[in-house]
Amino acid sequence: MSIRSLSQGANLSDHEEVVATEQGGEQVEGKPYLLFNDDAPEFQQKVDVIDAIVQAPDKNARREAIADAAKALGKSTRAIKRMVERVQKDGVATLAVGRQDKGQFRISEQWFKFIVDTHKWGHREGSRINHNQIHGQLIALASKGEDLRSKKYAEKFKQYPEVLEDLIERKFPSHVTVYKVINFHIEQENRIVRHPGSPTEGQIIQTTEGILEITHSNQIWQVDHTKLDILLIDDEDKEIIGRPYITLVMDSYSGCVVGFYLGYESAGSHEVALAFRHSMLPKHYELEYELQEKWDIFGVPEYLVTDRAKEFKSAHLKQISLQLGFQRRLRAFPSAGGLIETIFDKINKEVLSFFGGYTGSSVEDRPKEAEKTACLTLDKLERILVRYFVDHYNQHDYPKVKNQKRIKRWKSMLLSEPEVFDERELDICLMKATYRNVEKYGSVNFGGLVYQGDSLVRYEGQKISLRYDQRNILTLLAYTRPSNDQPGEFIGVVKARDLEKERREYRQYLHHGQYAPPLLHSTLPNFVVRQQLIPHS
């Protein structure tokens, strides 16, 4: 009988073994390194049946669980009850009493090297990863099952085919074994053994569909929005426009700000989508941002967790998640959004309160000089916030974890390199959509403008989907109409006819102080007209 064991209670396949002693002795040819283990299959079986008894919701269920445990372990119900009492009194370690291989563990050479290499990878570029995080990564990888065979993970398991097969079967070493492997490796290199873990591991988020355990980076992103406590001005005539809205996306594991969207529009599904798009793409900023660090966070999450506002339940967001393959979850309680609510408070107090135009959190407490001292434009505020997120917030230590910056924590617990999306691929998902009939010569009418494109000619008489960014409607993307919950296929780019004429009409609206049509108004590169449309607040 093999004495090698895994956290799922299954034996590893037969293979050449490496052995280590707890004292870090030299390798002896033909003998394995001995490593401590506390959940061999027999032990894990006891844990499973005793846990079922302890978790039973009522007396009847408990009685049935005891009977099942007695049958599974070949013991009397009385003996099972004594085992439960010992566990409740002295802890789960009592279930391991009587094992002949206590204090030992056999682990394959591939698994040993995989754990060590994961540890080294987690410490690259100053990042820090502890054994609990590595074990959490193994759990997260095992949960992927057959998806681990995809090209996405090919490089990760190139040298570890045995590890790949074990993980697909949900077999992996226990957290104690992982710690012993890392401990042995560090001792062999005469390095100081790190503390086995931080109390912040094992955090959860309660959603309306159950509890999500936070185990790695880019697993769970949270998004929310708020109206910032500052008045902004127009960049030309310096008149006050109003208070901006920010939609923020954060990574739950590392606490890093992943991306955001800033604008005057009341936050809706479109603003959420633009913030999400910014989060998924690699971010590159010009020298005028004066950044000291890089904003290297991107990819796509497995879950997007939000509150229960209507913009987070929109068909728009459903289509995005369908296209990109992430799951949507709603917070069970408002307090579950504490991570993102905290940074909103920090932005107002640590950043905005130092600039003119700061209003404070209530009208009653608003500084009298707020309107007189307002000096920031939307563009300037955007640069300030980027610097704050990149050079300050993401560079600070993760709470309760010593010497681990948020950005290093994010990098150290990625299960694979984040996917790099093409911007057009994201445009297909993230821009607003409307439907129009294609008329003669491949033309469509939208927002009082006529658009035309050769690619539309073959679709005359058919209804198509038009996707657009509401900030610039002079160019639209045409798609076939979505059906059966599948997104439409890209047809081509169509542009408004007589662009110069439209621009002249727009300038005339501004010259005469008239309101521009809503869609034309949204094409303005700055906010000259918006100050007429948005009340001060």
Side-chain angles (χ1 to χ4, degrees), residues 170 176 288 407:
R170 296 184 64 80
V176 175
E288 63 184 14
I407 183 64

Side-chain angles (χ1 to χ4, degrees), residues 144 147 152 218-219 276 280 299-304 317-329 419 421 425-426 429-430 487:
K144 302 298 181 184
D147 288 346
K152 179 179 179 180
N218 278 11
Q219 175 201 15
F276 198 53
M280 289 186 288
V300 62
E302 298 169 29
Y303 294 92
L304 183 67
L317 197 55
K318 289 180 181 178
Q319 186 181 19
I320 295 171
S321 63
L322 176 66
Q323 179 76 2
L324 299 180
F326 63 87
Q327 298 185 54
R328 306 181 316 281
R329 291 292 185 270
E419 183 176 358
F421 286 93
E425 184 178 0
L426 294 183
C429 304
L430 302 184

Side-chain angles (χ1 to χ4, degrees), residues 9 25 29 31 53 56 73 80 88 115 118 146 170 201 217 228 300 331 371 376 386 398 422 430 443 458 483 489 510:
E29 186 176 357
K31 293 185 178 180
I53 296 170
L73 300 180
I80 296 297
Q88 292 177 329
I115 292 172
T118 301
E146 289 292 336
R170 296 184 64 80
E201 305 305 326
S217 305
L228 296 177
V300 62
R331 299 188 192 107
E371 295 191 7
L376 295 180
V386 168
Y398 183 80
D422 179 83
L430 302 184
S443 63
R458 59 187 290 237
S483 61
E489 295 182 1
L510 298 182

Side-chain angles (χ1 to χ4, degrees), residues 227 230-235 239-246 261-267 271 376-381 470-471 521 526-528 530-531 533-535 537:
K227 199 170 188 179
I230 194 166
L231 294 171
L232 301 184
I233 62 173
D234 173 66
D235 58 0
E239 291 292 325
I240 293 177
I241 299 176
R243 292 166 55 197
Y245 290 86
I246 186 171
Y261 175 78
L262 190 68
Y264 289 109
E265 301 83 2
S266 178
E271 286 66 41
L376 295 180
T377 63
L378 192 73
D379 289 341
K380 288 182 180 178
L381 177 58
Q470 64 179 1
R471 298 169 301 180
H521 168 266
N526 53 46
F527 301 93
V528 174
R530 295 191 184 191
Q531 49 123 353
L533 304 178
I534 302 175
S537 57

Side-chain angles (χ1 to χ4, degrees), residues 105-174:
F105 182 89
R106 295 176 186 269
I107 189 171
S108 75
E109 182 177 5
Q110 279 196 28
W111 266 109
F112 186 91
K113 290 182 177 180
F114 183 79
I115 292 172
V116 170
D117 286 349
T118 301
H119 170 77
K120 291 179 179 178
W121 185 81
H123 280 73
R124 73 197 193 287
E125 298 179 2
S127 299
R128 293 178 180 272
I129 185 173
N130 59 47
H131 93 286
N132 277 342
Q133 291 173 312
I134 293 177
H135 185 253
Q137 188 172 122
L138 297 182
I139 294 174
L141 286 169
S143 70
K144 302 298 181 184
E146 289 292 336
D147 288 346
L148 293 179
R149 299 189 192 278
S150 65
K151 185 177 180 181
K152 179 179 179 180
Y153 297 99
E155 188 63 29
K156 189 178 189 72
F157 295 107
K158 184 178 181 180
Q159 303 298 324
Y160 307 105
E162 174 197 321
V163 173
L164 173 62
E165 295 301 325
D166 286 336
L167 287 171
I168 290 174
E169 296 179 17
R170 296 184 64 80
K171 301 177 181 179
F172 48 87
S174 69

Side-chain angles (χ1 to χ4, degrees), residues 21 28 55 60 134 136 184-186 237 262 287 299 301-302 320 380 385 418 420 438 440 447 451 455 496-497 528-529:
T21 65
V28 180
Q55 298 297 327
N60 290 334
I134 293 177
F184 176 81
H185 165 69
I186 294 176
D237 59 22
L262 190 68
L287 294 177
E302 298 169 29
I320 295 171
K380 288 182 180 178
L385 292 178
V420 179
V438 179
K440 287 186 177 181
Y451 297 80
S455 59
R497 296 190 315 199
V528 174
V529 176

Side-chain angles (χ1 to χ4, degrees), residues 429-444:
C429 304
L430 302 184
M431 292 195 297
K432 285 198 170 185
T434 188
Y435 301 105
R436 290 293 187 276
N437 288 316
V438 179
E439 300 175 3
K440 287 186 177 181
Y441 313 115
S443 63
V444 292

